[in-house]
Amino acid sequence: MGIKFYENSRIFKLDTPKSTYMIGIVDEENFIGHIYYGRKVIDADLSYMMRLHGSSDVPTKNSRDRVTFMDSMPMEYPTHGVGDFRESCLSVKDHAGHSACSLSYISHRIYHGKQKLPGLPATFAREDECTTLELICEDKALQLQVTLVYNVFEKLDAITRSVKIYNSSKNPIYLTKVLSACLDMDNRDYDMITLYGLWSRERMINRRRITDGKQLISSLRGVSSHQEQPFMAILDKNADEDHGEVFALNLVYSGNFMAQAEITQFTMLRAVIGINPVDFCWKLDSEESFTSPEAVMVYSNEGIGGMTRTFHDLYRNHLIRGQYKDKKRPILINNWEATYFDFDTDKLLSIAREASKLGIEMLVMDDGWFGYRNDDNTSLGDWVVNESKIKGGLKHLVDEVNKLGMKFGIWFEPEMISPDSDLYRTHPDWAIQIPGRNPALARNQLVLDISRKEVRDAVYDSMYKILSEANIEYVKWDMNRPLTDIAGASLDSDTQGEFYHRYVLGLYEMQERLVSDFPHILLENCSSGGGRFDPGMLYYSPQIWSSDNTDAIDRLRIQEGTAMIYPLSAMGAHVADCPSHSNGRVTPFETRGYVSLAGTFGYELDITKIPEEDRNMIPKQVAMYHKYNDLVRTGDYYRIASYQMNHEYDCYEVVSKDKKEALVTYIQVSGRPNYRTRRIRLKGLKEDAIYRIEETGEELSGGALMYAGINIENMWGDYLGKLIHIVEI
Ligand code: DGJ
């Protein structure tokens, strides 16, 4: 059992294999104090960490200095308006218009397993995999019950948190801010890592010192966004890939969020994460509940790499669901970069015919098959097959593809509506817009108000019809613009602040329906590339399209940032055309294959037009995928060198869980003739085991491979790549 309650000291101790998290109930007023989070300790009481100096500093003994206490005590879930001037997690507006809130511990529950969060994605675990602590707290004046939930994983250094709020008063209470987690820590001169970006450059790694004041990352785009990830790692300033302490927060949510690190006046560090409070206001009527999204906390004392491997294990085993959870995915070919909107049945079948001969397993028909959509100006919402393009109908096309021995997948953008569409002409009010204002267009489209059930039902029904019409085994769910002009037609003036969150709940409901009604379908989420690559989406789709940037070299950076949190099995990655449609770069076909191998693997090019020698390489790449994908999907990921940092080469390794096999990918980004060889040191092997390097037949111990390393030779030229496969003998 990972959770212990010490009754005399009123301390809760949460233990994972290598970390301890400690909570204390303080003073007669029952404040919920944060005592410790860090490397595992055997002690039952570290309450000296709270610096309360006996009991003289607590409000019941020294009410004269209550504010000093409130503003310095390390809190588990700080509230607004009663003396803690640091960032709060909870603030309200009561029926009198007051915003203060204050929590006292009432009781607790400890149990095996983990409950679902209503309507929200969350990690899951069996009773023997996880223990839960629920701290039931109350604001007596407001008659508001707040339950802080902690789920402690038995075999992973991960604790997940969420918050349930229940209004037991007779009046509505407006929740103006509900964050999911707070971490009050001593400021030990930490750095922070966040992942920032933009379209086509998602999840760039940003490491910087945490300095005085507040360092905020957030999204107000209605999606988690290309620009910031709902993720923050706080790490020792000397921590690197393999050493040092790292404390990471990741929010299982796909909408507006905030994550913030703040150095407070007494040089403490407060980190918080949750739904962005900007434009958020939830009306909680009497006897109603609200549940926050789940925040994941990961601890590592093995540097960034240790954090990464914990996230990968947690998400692979306790977040991703469905029949493809632990399965190899079909190698797909997507027609987007091959044809854009200019395709018909014949064109798609010509691609499928060629692809099937080379071992590709699925054809995905991207944007442009419905309504009158021959460019991106029309028809979103009209999910009716355009038979002038898809001649003979969808079933005919799918049957023909199936006859070639291939599966068939299809693209949708269910949340959108084009002003030039039958749907808009019938239901203009279904588009999100503020009455009296012209809503802003992006890619010439508007967003459907999927917070409304009738809108969700109508869109879902039209998707359902298409998916039932033919043997469709994959869906790419795209979303190509942010939300603006927020107004909920079904919401009153005092509930407009619920819109963004209701939109996300609507999205989750639709995807839950899709995966329940069509459990055999492989769902891939996408948002203008990787604009909604977050743990919330992973709960519904085991893979997410990483970026519209398909250039192999730019992808190295995008995939490095993505793989810092998310498993390789989830990273949509394709071999694309050259010169790259993203940046004009020409890279060897072979290298493009190596880079895509680190993700789901597939193709995004006109296979009927690429050079003969590239086409001839495909069966070899297909074989390589089949040979290595089990290892890549399930193994431990180690970063050996980062092209983002060294600007010359990239190198990463996947080691099987039993450490009997490893695959190293090396990409020489800029050829340097003055280097005859480059030394690479492997990681994660058994020191005393002997491994054979498949390519050279050399036999070396794990120790030699890790500490002496191996030489990468004959890499004269830019953009060359190499795989090194080692197996224990
Ligand atoms: C954005 C996606 O990221 C692309 O892969 C493609 O599906 C286009 N949308 C289609 O409009």
Side-chain angles (χ1 to χ4, degrees):
M1 168 80 91
I3 301 175
K4 271 196 192 134
F5 176 55
Y6 296 93
E7 237 171 295
N8 292 340
S9 55
R10 301 203 299 167
I11 284 175
F12 296 91
K13 185 166 187 264
L14 284 50
D15 282 323
T16 70
K18 289 187 192 149
S19 75
T20 292
Y21 190 99
M22 214 179 265
I23 302 165
I25 307 303
V26 173
D27 190 30
E28 287 153 40
E29 284 194 51
N30 291 345
F31 296 104
I32 308 110
H34 176 72
I35 299 177
Y36 173 75
Y37 186 31
R39 202 169 173 138
K40 191 167 190 165
V41 293
I42 55 167
D43 311 67
D45 186 351
L46 301 182
S47 56
Y48 64 88
M49 296 279 298
M50 289 191 288
R51 299 180 175 86
L52 295 177
H53 308 123
S55 57
S56 58
D57 281 350
V58 296
T60 39
K61 304 284 179 311
N62 177 15
S63 90
R64 179 188 173 276
D65 290 317
R66 185 181 181 94
V67 169
T68 311
F69 168 83
M70 295 302 292
D71 206 21
S72 57
M73 151 108 172
M75 300 279 184
E76 268 307 309
Y77 196 68
T79 54
H80 171 81
V82 287
D84 185 345
F85 295 101
R86 300 162 290 180
E87 191 72 38
S88 66
C89 281
L90 179 65
S91 76
V92 301
K93 195 143 282 235
D94 65 15
H95 66 287
H98 305 143
S99 61
C101 179
S102 173
L103 295 181
S104 308
Y105 162 86
I106 301 289
S107 63
H108 69 269
R109 233 156 61 89
I110 297 175
Y111 54 87
H112 289 291
K114 182 174 191 300
Q115 291 186 354
K116 284 189 170 182
L117 303 188
L120 285 165
T123 55
F124 51 83
R126 290 192 314 259
E127 293 204 343
D128 60 336
E129 293 172 325
C130 177
T131 315
T132 296
L133 165 67
E134 292 190 359
L135 288 179
I136 297 130
C137 321
E138 192 183 35
D139 182 314
K140 273 213 174 82
L142 290 171
Q143 291 179 265
L144 193 68
Q145 215 179 73
V146 176
T147 305
L148 309 181
V149 183
Y150 299 78
N151 315 107
V152 180
F153 283 79
E154 301 283 326
K155 294 213 169 103
L156 292 169
D157 292 308
I159 298 175
T160 56
R161 292 174 63 170
S162 59
V163 179
K164 283 191 269 182
I165 304 182
Y166 175 73
N167 178 6
S168 57
S169 79
K170 295 220 155 44
N171 298 305
I173 297 176
Y174 295 85
L175 306 174
T176 52
K177 185 183 196 184
V178 183
L179 300 189
S180 299
C182 169
L183 211 47
D184 269 351
M185 304 161 79
D186 278 4
N187 171 23
R188 291 207 320 247
D189 216 2
Y190 286 115
D191 279 358
M192 68 194 270
I193 294 179
T194 58
L195 301 171
Y196 73 101
L198 66 159
W199 174 77
S200 216
R201 250 172 175 247
E202 296 88 343
R203 292 170 295 286
M204 301 287 106
I205 298 170
N206 183 3
R207 179 172 181 163
R208 58 199 183 278
R209 238 191 100 209
I210 303 180
T211 59
D212 290 339
K214 296 179 172 181
Q215 282 110 105
L216 169 74
I217 57 156
S218 66
S219 168
L220 263 180
R221 292 166 190 266
V223 289
S224 47
S225 87
H226 299 85
Q227 286 71 15
E228 302 279 6
Q229 256 297 304
F231 161 80
M232 175 182 281
I234 295 159
L235 63 167
D236 277 345
K237 111 171 157 225
N238 299 321
D240 60 18
E241 202 49 41
D242 306 302
H243 312 97
E245 280 195 303
V246 184
F247 304 84
L249 293 166
N250 197 194
L251 192 67
V252 186
Y253 193 59
S254 312
N256 293 346
F257 74 91
M258 73 170 278
Q260 182 177 278
E262 171 188 10
I263 303 285
T264 67
Q265 58 176 338
F266 303 120
T267 59
M268 301 272 288
L269 170 65
R270 172 167 288 178
V272 295
I273 195 162
I275 294 181
N276 196 331
V278 176
D279 282 347
F280 172 85
C281 181
W282 193 272
K283 182 181 182 188
L284 201 63
D285 267 317
S286 176
E287 294 181 20
E288 274 183 2
S289 300
F290 179 86
T291 304
S292 80
E294 181 168 84
V296 176
M297 300 193 303
V298 164
Y299 171 80
S300 160
N301 59 12
E302 286 163 27
I304 302 160
M307 171 201 79
T308 294
R309 288 183 287 281
T310 301
F311 271 123
H312 287 192
D313 284 342
L314 183 73
Y315 291 164
R316 282 187 297 212
N317 300 321
H318 301 281
L319 182 66
I320 291 172
R321 304 175 294 167
Q323 63 147 352
Y324 281 103
K325 178 175 184 288
D326 301 311
K327 254 172 64 182
K328 210 194 297 173
R329 321 281 158 74
I331 301 177
L332 66 81
I333 183 158
N334 176 304
N335 75 307
W336 178 240
E337 288 196 17
T339 65
Y340 294 102
F341 295 99
D342 185 17
F343 63 88
D344 59 12
T345 299
D346 290 345
K347 179 71 216 170
L348 292 175
L349 286 178
S350 71
I351 293 177
R353 264 191 294 275
E354 196 58 46
S356 67
K357 283 191 238 157
L358 303 172
I360 296 172
E361 298 159 316
M362 178 160 74
L363 175 77
V364 174
M365 177 169 71
D366 210 281
D367 192 356
W369 56 266
F370 52 91
Y372 300 97
R373 191 159 164 97
N374 294 315
D375 57 34
D376 59 9
N377 287 309
T378 100
S379 300
L380 292 170
D382 296 345
W383 303 111
V384 179
V385 175
N386 179 351
E387 297 219 6
S388 65
K389 278 168 125 176
I390 310 303
K391 295 181 193 89
L394 183 62
K395 182 157 175 12
H396 164 71
L397 170 63
V398 178
D399 288 348
E400 289 304 305
V401 171
N402 287 167
K403 277 187 211 156
L404 294 167
M406 291 176 83
K407 297 179 190 294
F408 184 87
I410 197 167
W411 178 98
F412 282 99
E413 196 175 0
E415 298 154 75
M416 295 296 149
I417 180 164
S418 303
D420 179 10
S421 65
D422 290 343
L423 187 68
Y424 190 81
R425 282 181 280 275
T426 327
H427 295 290
D429 59 306
W430 283 8
I432 301 172
Q433 58 201 298
I434 300 172
R437 254 180 218 282
N438 251 345
L441 291 164
R443 209 192 190 201
N444 212 10
Q445 63 199 54
L446 296 170
V447 187
L448 280 169
D449 182 354
I450 57 163
S451 72
R452 288 160 70 180
K453 186 167 170 3
E454 71 272 28
V455 178
R456 288 199 298 275
D457 287 351
V459 178
Y460 185 77
D461 287 350
S462 59
M463 289 176 77
Y464 187 95
K465 209 160 157 256
I466 294 286
L467 296 175
S468 314
E469 208 170 279
N471 182 25
I472 295 172
E473 297 177 80
Y474 163 105
V475 165
K476 178 172 172 187
W477 182 305
D478 204 348
M479 196 285 186
N480 284 304
R481 61 154 291 174
L483 272 55
T484 61
D485 302 278
I486 298 308
S490 62
L491 300 172
D492 307 333
S493 59
D494 64 343
T495 51
Q496 288 295 332
E498 300 179 8
F499 183 83
Y500 276 116
H501 186 55
R502 286 193 182 277
Y503 180 92
V504 178
L505 294 177
L507 166 70
Y508 290 153
E509 192 223 71
M510 286 177 84
Q511 295 214 346
E512 188 64 47
R513 278 169 87 177
L514 184 73
V515 298
S516 325
D517 289 346
F518 301 97
H520 68 285
I521 283 183
L522 170 59
L523 181 62
E524 175 156 353
N525 267 293
C526 169
S527 175
S528 299
R532 207 160 54 183
F533 204 128
D534 58 59
M537 292 282 88
L538 272 189
Y539 185 67
Y540 304 96
S541 66
Q543 58 193 57
I544 303 176
W545 184 227
S546 308
S547 177
D548 276 345
N549 190 334
T550 49
D551 166 57
I553 302 305
D554 281 358
R555 268 300 180 108
L556 292 174
R557 298 179 60 166
I558 294 166
Q559 293 183 185
E560 180 186 359
T562 308
M564 186 180 269
I565 322 173
Y566 303 110
L568 305 188
S569 62
M571 261 188 341
H574 297 166
V575 175
D577 207 2
C578 261
S580 162
H581 296 201
S582 311
N583 59 14
R585 190 182 341 239
V586 177
T587 49
F589 199 76
E590 198 173 33
T591 302
R592 284 177 259 159
Y594 294 149
V595 174
S596 304
L597 199 67
T600 54
F601 197 75
Y603 292 87
E604 181 125 0
L605 37 72
D606 189 342
I607 203 166
T608 65
K609 289 193 181 145
I610 57 171
E612 191 70 31
E613 74 247 39
D614 289 356
R615 204 171 20 247
N616 291 342
M617 226 181 274
I618 292 179
K620 201 174 141 214
Q621 290 182 336
V622 165
M624 177 176 86
Y625 169 78
H626 289 302
K627 180 170 177 189
Y628 296 128
N629 183 257
D630 282 347
L631 171 60
V632 169
R633 234 182 38 251
T634 61
D636 284 331
Y637 170 83
Y638 291 86
R639 175 66 39 193
I640 294 178
S642 160
Y643 151 63
Q644 283 196 55
M645 312 283 283
N646 64 35
H647 309 296
E648 287 185 7
Y649 68 106
D650 213 52
C651 188
Y652 45 86
E653 178 192 12
V654 183
V655 181
S656 63
K657 287 280 175 195
D658 61 10
K659 296 185 181 291
K660 289 186 170 177
E661 189 189 1
L663 182 70
V664 178
T665 306
Y666 175 94
I667 307 289
Q668 178 81 28
V669 176
S670 100
R672 279 293 191 93
N674 54 334
Y675 286 117
R676 285 191 48 221
T677 64
R678 194 183 298 283
R679 181 76 51 85
I680 294 299
R681 288 184 177 152
L682 273 50
K683 297 182 181 180
L685 303 175
K686 291 187 274 187
E687 266 181 22
D688 298 334
I690 303 295
Y691 296 87
R692 178 177 296 126
I693 304 177
E694 196 179 281
E695 291 69 28
T696 60
E698 277 169 283
E699 289 176 9
L700 288 165
S701 71
L705 291 164
M706 291 193 291
Y707 312 136
I710 52 173
N711 294 328
I712 304 286
E713 290 172 334
N714 303 324
M715 300 293 272
W716 306 110
D718 292 351
Y719 315 139
L720 298 181
K722 201 174 225 171
L723 293 184
I724 300 145
H725 184 217
I726 65 162
V727 181
E728 186 184 352
I729 51 173

mmCIF file of all heavy atoms in Angstrom, residues 199 334 336 341 366-367 373 376 411 413 443 476 478 480 526-530 545 547-548 604, ligand 1:
data_model
loop_
_atom_site.group_PDB
_atom_site.id
_atom_site.type_symbol
_atom_site.label_atom_id
_atom_site.label_comp_id
_atom_site.label_asym_id
_atom_site.label_seq_id
_atom_site.Cartn_x
_atom_site.Cartn_y
_atom_site.Cartn_z
ATOM 1 N N TRP A 199 2.891 26.351 -35.339
ATOM 2 C CA TRP A 199 2.532 25.383 -36.361
ATOM 3 C C TRP A 199 3.809 24.929 -37.083
ATOM 4 O O TRP A 199 4.637 25.738 -37.447
ATOM 5 C CB TRP A 199 1.537 26.015 -37.355
ATOM 6 C CG TRP A 199 1.259 25.101 -38.511
ATOM 7 C CD1 TRP A 199 0.464 24.015 -38.505
ATOM 8 C CD2 TRP A 199 1.823 25.184 -39.817
ATOM 9 N NE1 TRP A 199 0.493 23.399 -39.729
ATOM 10 C CE2 TRP A 199 1.312 24.110 -40.563
ATOM 11 C CE3 TRP A 199 2.720 26.070 -40.438
ATOM 12 C CZ2 TRP A 199 1.659 23.877 -41.893
ATOM 13 C CZ3 TRP A 199 3.066 25.847 -41.757
ATOM 14 C CH2 TRP A 199 2.535 24.758 -42.475
ATOM 15 N N ASN A 334 -0.779 7.891 -46.508
ATOM 16 C CA ASN A 334 -1.783 8.950 -46.469
ATOM 17 C C ASN A 334 -1.610 9.806 -47.730
ATOM 18 O O ASN A 334 -0.491 10.111 -48.123
ATOM 19 C CB ASN A 334 -1.558 9.766 -45.190
ATOM 20 C CG ASN A 334 -2.489 10.956 -45.084
ATOM 21 O OD1 ASN A 334 -2.535 11.804 -45.971
ATOM 22 N ND2 ASN A 334 -3.225 11.031 -43.996
ATOM 23 N N TRP A 336 -2.402 12.952 -48.310
ATOM 24 C CA TRP A 336 -2.424 14.419 -48.196
ATOM 25 C C TRP A 336 -1.295 15.071 -49.009
ATOM 26 O O TRP A 336 -1.525 15.818 -49.943
ATOM 27 C CB TRP A 336 -2.399 14.823 -46.723
ATOM 28 C CG TRP A 336 -2.381 16.319 -46.509
ATOM 29 C CD1 TRP A 336 -1.436 17.051 -45.868
ATOM 30 C CD2 TRP A 336 -3.387 17.272 -46.932
ATOM 31 N NE1 TRP A 336 -1.764 18.379 -45.863
ATOM 32 C CE2 TRP A 336 -2.966 18.548 -46.514
ATOM 33 C CE3 TRP A 336 -4.592 17.163 -47.627
ATOM 34 C CZ2 TRP A 336 -3.691 19.705 -46.774
ATOM 35 C CZ3 TRP A 336 -5.317 18.331 -47.884
ATOM 36 C CH2 TRP A 336 -4.868 19.573 -47.467
ATOM 37 N N PHE A 341 -5.963 18.246 -52.459
ATOM 38 C CA PHE A 341 -7.396 18.038 -52.721
ATOM 39 C C PHE A 341 -7.661 17.389 -54.083
ATOM 40 O O PHE A 341 -8.803 17.092 -54.418
ATOM 41 C CB PHE A 341 -8.132 19.383 -52.657
ATOM 42 C CG PHE A 341 -8.108 19.994 -51.274
ATOM 43 C CD1 PHE A 341 -7.202 20.993 -50.950
ATOM 44 C CD2 PHE A 341 -8.980 19.546 -50.291
ATOM 45 C CE1 PHE A 341 -7.175 21.546 -49.674
ATOM 46 C CE2 PHE A 341 -8.959 20.092 -49.012
ATOM 47 C CZ PHE A 341 -8.052 21.091 -48.702
ATOM 48 N N ASP A 366 -7.321 11.392 -47.033
ATOM 49 C CA ASP A 366 -7.301 12.609 -46.207
ATOM 50 C C ASP A 366 -8.372 13.585 -46.683
ATOM 51 O O ASP A 366 -9.313 13.213 -47.408
ATOM 52 C CB ASP A 366 -5.881 13.202 -46.228
ATOM 53 C CG ASP A 366 -5.526 13.952 -44.960
ATOM 54 O OD1 ASP A 366 -5.960 15.101 -44.832
ATOM 55 O OD2 ASP A 366 -4.822 13.387 -44.083
ATOM 56 N N ASP A 367 -8.219 14.815 -46.305
ATOM 57 C CA ASP A 367 -9.160 15.900 -46.571
ATOM 58 C C ASP A 367 -9.555 15.983 -48.054
ATOM 59 O O ASP A 367 -8.693 15.880 -48.931
ATOM 60 C CB ASP A 367 -8.456 17.210 -46.145
ATOM 61 C CG ASP A 367 -9.388 18.384 -46.077
ATOM 62 O OD1 ASP A 367 -10.556 18.235 -46.422
ATOM 63 O OD2 ASP A 367 -8.918 19.458 -45.649
ATOM 64 N N ARG A 373 -15.647 19.834 -51.703
ATOM 65 C CA ARG A 373 -14.378 20.359 -51.187
ATOM 66 C C ARG A 373 -13.218 20.049 -52.136
ATOM 67 O O ARG A 373 -12.661 18.948 -52.123
ATOM 68 C CB ARG A 373 -14.115 19.771 -49.802
ATOM 69 C CG ARG A 373 -12.958 20.472 -49.072
ATOM 70 C CD ARG A 373 -13.095 20.224 -47.613
ATOM 71 N NE ARG A 373 -11.894 20.520 -46.843
ATOM 72 C CZ ARG A 373 -11.698 21.661 -46.192
ATOM 73 N NH1 ARG A 373 -12.576 22.643 -46.269
ATOM 74 N NH2 ARG A 373 -10.605 21.823 -45.473
ATOM 75 N N ASP A 376 -9.560 24.422 -49.451
ATOM 76 C CA ASP A 376 -9.954 24.473 -48.038
ATOM 77 C C ASP A 376 -10.964 25.589 -47.721
ATOM 78 O O ASP A 376 -11.055 26.049 -46.597
ATOM 79 C CB ASP A 376 -8.716 24.548 -47.132
ATOM 80 C CG ASP A 376 -7.844 25.757 -47.419
ATOM 81 O OD1 ASP A 376 -8.271 26.628 -48.193
ATOM 82 O OD2 ASP A 376 -6.734 25.820 -46.863
ATOM 83 N N TRP A 411 -10.371 10.589 -43.221
ATOM 84 C CA TRP A 411 -10.152 11.856 -42.493
ATOM 85 C C TRP A 411 -11.479 12.545 -42.201
ATOM 86 O O TRP A 411 -12.378 12.554 -43.041
ATOM 87 C CB TRP A 411 -9.284 12.743 -43.382
ATOM 88 C CG TRP A 411 -8.946 14.118 -42.882
ATOM 89 C CD1 TRP A 411 -7.793 14.501 -42.268
ATOM 90 C CD2 TRP A 411 -9.736 15.324 -43.023
ATOM 91 N NE1 TRP A 411 -7.822 15.850 -42.010
ATOM 92 C CE2 TRP A 411 -9.000 16.379 -42.457
ATOM 93 C CE3 TRP A 411 -10.993 15.595 -43.565
ATOM 94 C CZ2 TRP A 411 -9.460 17.692 -42.420
ATOM 95 C CZ3 TRP A 411 -11.468 16.911 -43.515
ATOM 96 C CH2 TRP A 411 -10.696 17.937 -42.953
ATOM 97 N N GLU A 413 -12.992 16.288 -40.023
ATOM 98 C CA GLU A 413 -12.730 17.437 -39.135
ATOM 99 C C GLU A 413 -14.052 17.790 -38.464
ATOM 100 O O GLU A 413 -14.695 18.803 -38.762
ATOM 101 C CB GLU A 413 -12.154 18.618 -39.920
ATOM 102 C CG GLU A 413 -11.527 19.640 -38.995
ATOM 103 C CD GLU A 413 -10.837 20.788 -39.702
ATOM 104 O OE1 GLU A 413 -10.826 20.814 -40.948
ATOM 105 O OE2 GLU A 413 -10.316 21.666 -39.002
ATOM 106 N N ARG A 443 -8.505 29.714 -41.693
ATOM 107 C CA ARG A 443 -8.578 28.776 -42.811
ATOM 108 C C ARG A 443 -9.991 28.795 -43.420
ATOM 109 O O ARG A 443 -10.523 27.762 -43.806
ATOM 110 C CB ARG A 443 -8.207 27.363 -42.354
ATOM 111 C CG ARG A 443 -7.587 26.522 -43.447
ATOM 112 C CD ARG A 443 -7.493 25.057 -43.046
ATOM 113 N NE ARG A 443 -6.690 24.325 -44.010
ATOM 114 C CZ ARG A 443 -6.737 23.023 -44.167
ATOM 115 N NH1 ARG A 443 -7.524 22.282 -43.418
ATOM 116 N NH2 ARG A 443 -5.974 22.424 -45.051
ATOM 117 N N LYS A 476 -8.761 9.600 -38.954
ATOM 118 C CA LYS A 476 -7.910 10.724 -38.547
ATOM 119 C C LYS A 476 -8.848 11.871 -38.189
ATOM 120 O O LYS A 476 -9.591 12.355 -39.039
ATOM 121 C CB LYS A 476 -6.990 11.105 -39.707
ATOM 122 C CG LYS A 476 -6.083 12.304 -39.438
ATOM 123 C CD LYS A 476 -5.090 12.457 -40.596
ATOM 124 C CE LYS A 476 -4.278 13.722 -40.541
ATOM 125 N NZ LYS A 476 -3.460 13.888 -41.755
ATOM 126 N N ASP A 478 -9.195 15.508 -37.287
ATOM 127 C CA ASP A 478 -8.400 16.733 -37.422
ATOM 128 C C ASP A 478 -9.126 17.909 -36.776
ATOM 129 O O ASP A 478 -10.334 17.852 -36.511
ATOM 130 C CB ASP A 478 -8.185 16.977 -38.923
ATOM 131 C CG ASP A 478 -6.958 17.810 -39.229
ATOM 132 O OD1 ASP A 478 -6.387 18.404 -38.287
ATOM 133 O OD2 ASP A 478 -6.566 17.887 -40.411
ATOM 134 N N ASN A 480 -8.518 22.210 -37.215
ATOM 135 C CA ASN A 480 -7.556 23.106 -37.852
ATOM 136 C C ASN A 480 -7.691 24.589 -37.551
ATOM 137 O O ASN A 480 -7.219 25.403 -38.327
ATOM 138 C CB ASN A 480 -7.621 22.907 -39.370
ATOM 139 C CG ASN A 480 -6.923 21.621 -39.775
ATOM 140 O OD1 ASN A 480 -5.756 21.415 -39.466
ATOM 141 N ND2 ASN A 480 -7.639 20.742 -40.443
ATOM 142 N N CYS A 526 -5.348 14.763 -34.431
ATOM 143 C CA CYS A 526 -4.506 15.660 -35.221
ATOM 144 C C CYS A 526 -5.088 17.050 -35.045
ATOM 145 O O CYS A 526 -6.292 17.188 -34.879
ATOM 146 C CB CYS A 526 -4.597 15.205 -36.678
ATOM 147 S SG CYS A 526 -3.903 16.355 -37.870
ATOM 148 N N SER A 527 -4.254 18.072 -35.053
ATOM 149 C CA SER A 527 -4.796 19.420 -35.021
ATOM 150 C C SER A 527 -3.819 20.336 -35.732
ATOM 151 O O SER A 527 -2.823 20.752 -35.142
ATOM 152 C CB SER A 527 -5.000 19.853 -33.567
ATOM 153 O OG SER A 527 -5.417 21.182 -33.521
ATOM 154 N N SER A 528 -4.049 20.564 -37.017
ATOM 155 C CA SER A 528 -3.069 21.295 -37.846
ATOM 156 C C SER A 528 -1.686 20.739 -37.533
ATOM 157 O O SER A 528 -0.794 21.489 -37.138
ATOM 158 C CB SER A 528 -3.086 22.782 -37.542
ATOM 159 O OG SER A 528 -4.331 23.331 -37.812
ATOM 160 N N GLY A 529 -1.524 19.462 -37.653
ATOM 161 C CA GLY A 529 -0.293 18.817 -37.199
ATOM 162 C C GLY A 529 -0.459 18.484 -35.731
ATOM 163 O O GLY A 529 -1.430 17.843 -35.315
ATOM 164 N N GLY A 530 0.454 18.982 -34.888
ATOM 165 C CA GLY A 530 0.462 18.574 -33.473
ATOM 166 C C GLY A 530 -0.059 19.626 -32.521
ATOM 167 O O GLY A 530 0.515 19.827 -31.457
ATOM 168 N N TRP A 545 -1.033 12.740 -34.636
ATOM 169 C CA TRP A 545 -0.148 13.262 -35.689
ATOM 170 C C TRP A 545 0.724 14.365 -35.071
ATOM 171 O O TRP A 545 0.225 15.315 -34.479
ATOM 172 C CB TRP A 545 -1.002 13.789 -36.843
ATOM 173 C CG TRP A 545 -0.270 14.272 -38.050
ATOM 174 C CD1 TRP A 545 -0.501 15.431 -38.714
ATOM 175 C CD2 TRP A 545 0.785 13.606 -38.764
ATOM 176 N NE1 TRP A 545 0.336 15.534 -39.789
ATOM 177 C CE2 TRP A 545 1.145 14.434 -39.840
ATOM 178 C CE3 TRP A 545 1.469 12.398 -38.584
ATOM 179 C CZ2 TRP A 545 2.158 14.098 -40.744
ATOM 180 C CZ3 TRP A 545 2.473 12.063 -39.478
ATOM 181 C CH2 TRP A 545 2.810 12.909 -40.538
ATOM 182 N N SER A 547 3.107 16.568 -36.333
ATOM 183 C CA SER A 547 3.355 17.879 -36.926
ATOM 184 C C SER A 547 3.081 17.820 -38.419
ATOM 185 O O SER A 547 3.286 16.781 -39.057
ATOM 186 C CB SER A 547 4.819 18.270 -36.721
ATOM 187 O OG SER A 547 5.091 19.501 -37.350
ATOM 188 N N ASP A 548 2.685 18.956 -38.991
ATOM 189 C CA ASP A 548 2.589 19.027 -40.445
ATOM 190 C C ASP A 548 3.969 19.139 -41.069
ATOM 191 O O ASP A 548 4.108 19.046 -42.284
ATOM 192 C CB ASP A 548 1.733 20.230 -40.864
ATOM 193 C CG ASP A 548 0.259 19.887 -40.837
ATOM 194 O OD1 ASP A 548 -0.057 18.681 -40.771
ATOM 195 O OD2 ASP A 548 -0.570 20.801 -40.875
ATOM 196 N N GLU A 604 3.710 9.347 -46.683
ATOM 197 C CA GLU A 604 2.874 10.503 -47.021
ATOM 198 C C GLU A 604 3.473 11.097 -48.291
ATOM 199 O O GLU A 604 4.172 12.106 -48.258
ATOM 200 C CB GLU A 604 2.930 11.491 -45.847
ATOM 201 C CG GLU A 604 2.114 12.722 -46.037
ATOM 202 C CD GLU A 604 1.124 12.970 -44.911
ATOM 203 O OE1 GLU A 604 1.061 12.171 -43.953
ATOM 204 O OE2 GLU A 604 0.406 13.961 -44.998
HETATM 205 C C1 DGJ B 1 -3.945 19.374 -41.169
HETATM 206 C C2 DGJ B 1 -3.308 18.029 -40.964
HETATM 207 O O1 DGJ B 1 -2.279 18.132 -40.036
HETATM 208 C C3 DGJ B 1 -2.819 17.489 -42.295
HETATM 209 O O2 DGJ B 1 -2.156 16.280 -42.091
HETATM 210 C C4 DGJ B 1 -3.979 17.334 -43.213
HETATM 211 O O3 DGJ B 1 -4.857 16.341 -42.742
HETATM 212 C C5 DGJ B 1 -4.696 18.659 -43.371
HETATM 213 N N1 DGJ B 1 -5.033 19.246 -42.109
HETATM 214 C C6 DGJ B 1 -5.941 18.492 -44.197
HETATM 215 O O4 DGJ B 1 -6.673 19.635 -44.263
#
